[in-house]
Amino acid sequence: MSDNLWGYQPTSGHTAGADLTGFSVEATDGSIGKVDKHSDEVGSAYLVVDTGVWIFGKDVLLPAGTVKGIDTEHRTVFVDLTKDQIKDSPEFDKHKHAGDPGYHAQVGGYYDSYRIM
């Protein structure tokens, strides 16, 4: 994962302004869903992933630093997390995520615990 959890890794293949909506998302151990929404905002970049029936329709917020690679040809985003790590993440709250720094701190704290230092 990236040193900056809320920014894309330089090696991820991310291009600022690229539309990732609809891309498939792959955890280290399999598919978790599709990108429903994303942001390239500096210091607050993220993906909102619709997990579909895999987690009973739960959406998850993934900081951009969890993205390890993007395959634009196959429209796939690869994240450096397991399916269980994503499933156990804090519940996505569409009303808080955009403007609540406390919510970002909660989500960031959860994913920080999986970072390899």
Side-chain angles (χ1 to χ4, degrees):
M1 281 187 239
S2 172
D3 288 340
N4 172 12
L5 192 59
W6 297 99
Y8 288 95
Q9 298 179 47
T11 57
S12 70
H14 177 262
T15 303
D19 186 6
L20 302 176
T21 305
F23 276 46
S24 296
V25 181
E26 291 282 328
T28 58
D29 57 352
S31 178
I32 63 159
K34 294 201 176 289
V35 176
D36 187 45
K37 184 177 173 183
H38 68 98
S39 167
D40 286 344
E41 186 176 331
V42 175
S44 187
Y46 62 83
L47 303 173
V48 175
V49 179
D50 178 353
T51 63
V53 296
W54 176 65
I55 314 180
F56 305 108
K58 177 181 175 181
D59 286 345
V60 294
L61 180 69
L62 299 179
T66 65
V67 174
K68 69 178 178 180
I70 299 171
D71 182 340
T72 54
E73 183 180 342
H74 294 103
R75 296 181 47 84
T76 304
V77 175
F78 299 92
V79 295
D80 202 12
L81 298 161
T82 67
K83 291 166 83 170
D84 281 342
Q85 289 169 335
I86 294 165
K87 185 172 105 179
D88 295 339
S89 68
E91 185 173 345
F92 174 69
D93 186 332
K94 66 181 177 182
H95 301 292
K96 284 185 177 180
H97 89 90
D100 185 339
Y103 178 68
H104 270 216
Q106 176 191 11
V107 171
Y110 174 80
Y111 289 115
D112 262 344
S113 69
Y114 293 107
R115 292 171 62 164
I116 298 170
M117 297 296 175

